[in-house]
Amino acid sequence: MPKIELQQDELFRYSGRNFGADELEEALTIAKAEIDDPVDKDGLIKIELNDTNRPDLWSTAGLGRALRLYHATGNAAPTSAAAPAAAVNYDFFSRPESPVEAGNRRIVVDSELAERRPYIAAFAISGPPIAEVLLDDLIQTQEKLCWNYGRKRKAIAMGVYREDKIQYPVRYRAVDPDCTTFVPLGLDNELSLRQIIEQHPKGREFGGIVAALDKFPFLTDNSGAVLSFPPVINSADVGAVQAGDTNLFIEMTGTDLKPLLLACSIVACDLADAGYTVHPVQVEYPYDTPFGRTIVSPLYFQKPVSVELAYAERLLGVALNEDEAVQRLGKMGVRAEAASGLITAYPPEYRNDFLHPVDVVEDLMIGYGMNAFPSEPPRDFTVGRLTEAEIFSREVKTLLVGMGYQEMIFNYLGSRRDFIDNMYSHEQRTAAADACVRIANPMSENFEFVRPSIIPQLLGAESVSAHAVYPHYIFEVGKVAVRDADDNYGSRTVTALGAVVADADAGFNLVSSQAAALFFYLGLEYEPSVVDDPRFLAGRVASLLVKGERVGILGELHPQVLENWGVTVPCAVIELDLDHLQKAIGSD
Amino acid sequence: MQTDEDIKSLHPLEVTVLRRYNTGDVLSASVLQGDLGLNVGQSNQALSWLAARESLQEHNRRIITRYELTELGRDYAEHGTPEERVQDAAREHGPLPLPRIAELTGLPNKDVGSAFGKLSKQGVLGMDGEKQVSYVAADGASAAQADIDMVRTLLRRAAAAPQGLLEENELGDDERRLIGEISKKRGSSGAAFRVVESEIVEYTLTEHGTALRAAVEAAGLSGKEVGALTPAMLRDGSWKGTNFRSYSIQVPPSRLLIGRRNPYCSYLDQVKDKLVSLGFEEFDGPLVETEFWNSDALFMPQFHSARDIHDVYYVADPPHAQEIQEPFLSRVAATHENGWDTGSSGWDYTFDRDFTRRLILRSQGTVMSAKTLHQAKVPGKYFGILRCFRYDQVDATHLSDFYQTEGIVLGEDVNLRTLMGMLEMFAVELAGATDVKCVPGYFPFTEPSVEIHIKHPELGWFELGGAGIFRPEVTEPMGVSVPVLAWGLGIDRMALMHLGLNDLRELFSPNIENVRLRTGKQAG
């Protein structure tokens, strides 16, 4: 979830009013936003935006717009689809069927991009000299949009340029990365595109997106002056924007057209709100796109969404009035019209989060405010119950506690050393590891395996608890995971009991008696059988069989295992598969 | 004077001693043994306890020597010493060869030899050229005879004395000389007596002791009070008329190690029980899951940023599930691509049917809500407290695996208002909240969504959880057409408070002593 840092005064300017600290906190809830860091001495405030489908809120202008519309009264709130969304009229938008005249602002796309980075959208702005604060905000918007919404520039990358230095048409091409050179932003010497992705900091960060391509995306003007190497880095000349510039060219390249067009619309609306005139740009493709071969951006491509009032009423639990519903959607910036129990909502230019009528219902909820929906307890009667496994586990835990055991609870992830190396000798380790569920992308070797048994962690507890008065009787009932080639998932999760006695007198006979008591009270007959398990002292370990099937093991741990764990007190253990036991009881 | 305190903690032995002696009396272990019939251990205990409470003071300390009759000595006392027996044999049956004397006396040859050596030196016995031993004493015999008689007397006296002990200071000069000849300092083999040296400590009553003695008398304590009530006393009725000693109840009891539930687990159980009491049925499932159930079935697009390699743990082997259950796979795939029959536009991309089989470690408890949908009852309420895994750096507020509390409610009539009503019920029942506030929230699988913030009596305002109504893109592919409320609660914060902890890692502490000492408040 993105966090943005902004000048509180700027936010208030876009909002059309000031808010006290508590008021702001409350007001931000309509944008699912929270104050992350309160305003500091420089007037900066940090805000976290929770809705990942609302990238339009990730800028000062966008968040301010949401607050402005929500709190606007009277004529600022639109009442029908015909009326503009707010005081700002975004009349620069084209529609697929009716493009705006873009003049000579054209981008010509090379056919070789079709399989590489096929889409580009752009516009230009003109107006007063760009202030530092606006430039900072624009750069932040670019970062948030391209990082969170544009998947770290893979889906969307954005560039801002000095339009005065551009000769239209702009050329979007695919070029040989080794023969093409320019001076990237931040340097003063020419590098090839290949050198840039290897040497330049931005190249190392984002070069991976294009590294596998035979030709790299490249943006120049008609004279050959380099704009940028998307999605990596601008040029040091045309691509170096600074405060005081008055005419900017803004483009975005990417792999998916609609998110790209939406991001383009968001930035255009933000700059329009900031008082700039937006000039559309016409992109000419030599291949087909979802909106044809010629697209003028910013483009309003969103479709209206209709929702039955009755559907909204069912979900919200209150009766709604058509006209009020339309007006409440207006507070959310959504133009709407209502007729015969059907509300048709037209998404604002900067939003594309209406996938389903239910999304309009949520805007209705926020538009009405939470107070419009008095809570009431659910009325349906249902029978509550625990799982059979939970009930059985509790029975087992009660018996263990009765035998004097302290219950423990451990994390399920651990290291190779804990689960394998400390438990098995060299020759056995490969097989032991193969029986475990291993993580392919561990964050640390300390958390690389899902535990196959509870015993290692009980020994881990012993290894850090030599100071605790003996005897130690400790157990856990919890999940373990074991590989199972027959299972659809290749592994099974098992509810297991693991118990350890650590004491000078801990031995086979003790845990054997305890197992006998446990089985007696669970109403199960079991048979100990000879087993060769190198974790235990030979001849002092028994596999436990119920109806001929192995359900667990008990015995004295091998001194080598204890030495591996640094445990200097004899340990005897019991481990049981409780799912199996429960099944055995059920089958009686 | 803290005689009041003392009198409550007096042991019967101490009472017995205090009642027997008065100011000026000299007490020692042997005195107590003689006067009170106590054994050595009891005597020493009584003295040391009384000295510790400063009722007695040391009066004198000295070493005394005593002679303790050995097993051999007891044999001599009964049958005579070797000298006596050899002399008698020679006098009555002589002249005789030494082996014959050994036969007659039943003594070993070496004892016969050394007795003869001693007696011949004293001129009591003589040996001729034939090696025949004869009784030859005439006048000189009287001194030797006197020694033999005196030794016999000493042996018999010792045999009759308690523990076979003779006090050195009660012996005459001749007796001391003779007993020295038949004693050894260490060990007992070959000697009739063992020399025992011991330190005698003598005490007298202090002022406090005198006062305590008066207090004991005033309290009517006899020292005959009984400590333990025994089965024998109950069987024979001797408990009747028995005075039972008062125990000093302020003495800190010794520590007991008991079997015990883990307080965090108990807390989780309490939450489960509470949810069951509210009509929720528990669900559970495997730790290893597929991308399909973990995210795809929840309508999170496969390109969603939270589904990055850096957010979810992937299983190394096997990497993929064999199959995803139909018709759910096809419906979910179509829902992602174009909305299927759900009324949604979908996410407008090509659903990856290999990626959806990718095995991961369950990253959110909502997995089980999704998996429960197609088999859920209507109306129905379900919950689970499920272990989940996140690709996070472990610290005080993040764990690599942790519990999430999640659930769903299905019903013809459930809606936003009942959702908030349910959340308020959780807030009051599970958290003891005094105030509740719902604000709009965002979760990829619910619409509308809310967050519930509660005012906890101790923690103040915090976010208890999130909830919403499952998107139709989630429910309809599972064949569910009624609204489904989905909720998740963050209970770890309350668990920490409940356990008096402030670090999530402590919930799973391997430190046995910490766990033993950890107590949880009763959940309220």
Side-chain angles (χ1 to χ4, degrees), chain B residues 325-347:
Chain B
Q325 199 181 344
E326 288 288 10
F328 309 119
L329 171 60
S330 295
R331 290 179 185 170
V332 167
T335 303
H336 277 242
E337 291 179 342
N338 54 38
W340 186 56
D341 292 345
T342 65
S344 171
S345 64
W347 287 112

Side-chain angles (χ1 to χ4, degrees), chain A residues 205-503:
Chain A
E205 192 175 356
F206 300 107
I209 299 168
V210 294
L213 301 177
D214 57 337
K215 289 189 173 179
F216 288 1
F218 200 54
L219 208 58
T220 63
D221 76 355
N222 198 38
S223 74
V226 178
L227 274 69
S228 69
F229 161 26
V232 179
I233 186 75
N234 274 13
S235 76
D237 179 26
V238 185
V241 176
Q242 29 190 294
D245 286 346
T246 53
N247 299 298
L248 300 182
F249 173 77
I250 295 162
E251 59 74 29
M252 299 185 195
T253 59
T255 49
D256 298 317
L257 185 55
K258 282 182 188 170
L260 186 74
L261 287 169
L262 182 73
C264 182
S265 301
I266 288 169
V267 178
C269 291
D270 280 2
L271 289 166
D273 283 11
Y276 287 84
T277 304
V278 174
H279 306 286
V281 171
Q282 175 166 304
V283 182
E284 294 161 16
Y285 293 95
Y287 42 83
D288 291 334
T289 80
F291 297 114
R293 292 192 169 208
T294 300
I295 301 176
V296 179
S297 55
L299 182 75
Y300 183 72
F301 61 91
Q302 295 90 322
K303 297 261 171 51
V305 180
S306 294
V307 57
E308 285 174 27
L309 205 60
Y311 180 68
E313 288 174 335
R314 183 183 186 190
L315 291 183
L316 297 177
V318 294
L320 301 175
N321 167 285
E322 283 184 6
D323 291 341
E324 190 182 359
V326 166
Q327 189 257 328
R328 295 287 176 170
L329 285 175
K331 287 166 82 76
M332 299 300 290
V334 178
R335 287 158 289 193
E337 49 199 21
S340 320
L342 195 72
I343 297 175
T344 303
Y346 297 86
E349 292 82 349
Y350 45 84
R351 286 178 62 179
N352 190 30
D353 59 322
F354 295 94
L355 279 73
H356 188 279
V358 76
D359 294 299
V360 180
V361 175
E362 182 172 88
D363 272 39
L364 279 169
M365 175 187 85
I366 301 174
Y368 274 88
M370 302 309 289
N371 290 337
F373 310 99
S375 66
E376 62 174 9
R379 284 182 298 262
D380 289 326
F381 178 81
T382 53
V383 176
R385 63 166 68 87
L386 297 169
T387 61
E388 294 296 322
E390 172 70 11
I391 293 167
F392 186 65
S393 293
R394 289 188 180 189
E395 196 176 340
V396 170
K397 288 180 188 186
T398 304
L399 289 169
L400 266 287
V401 167
M403 286 191 252
Y405 279 89
Q406 166 72 57
E407 184 185 18
M408 304 292 284
I409 179 167
F410 300 109
N411 282 115
Y412 286 177
L413 296 185
S415 64
R416 177 184 290 271
R417 181 192 158 99
D418 287 353
F419 294 162
I420 295 152
D421 295 355
N422 276 356
M423 300 303 297
Y424 296 96
S425 67
H426 278 289
E427 312 79 67
Q428 299 146 349
R429 283 178 193 162
T430 307
D434 287 348
C436 292
V437 172
R438 186 168 65 81
I439 294 171
N441 59 329
M443 164 152 272
S444 125
E445 64 180 21
N446 292 331
F447 309 105
E448 191 186 355
F449 286 84
V450 182
R451 64 181 186 179
S453 155
I454 298 176
I455 296 172
Q457 285 167 315
L458 291 166
L459 288 174
E462 285 303 327
S463 72
V464 298
S465 299
H467 60 287
V469 184
Y470 289 94
H472 297 170
Y473 283 68
I474 55 170
F475 82 100
E476 186 191 3
V477 171
K479 302 290 175 67
V480 300
V482 289
R483 293 283 298 278
D484 180 347
D486 294 336
D487 189 277
N488 185 26
Y489 286 3
S491 66
R492 277 182 300 122
T493 298
V494 174
T495 308
L497 159 72
V500 164
V501 184
D503 190 24

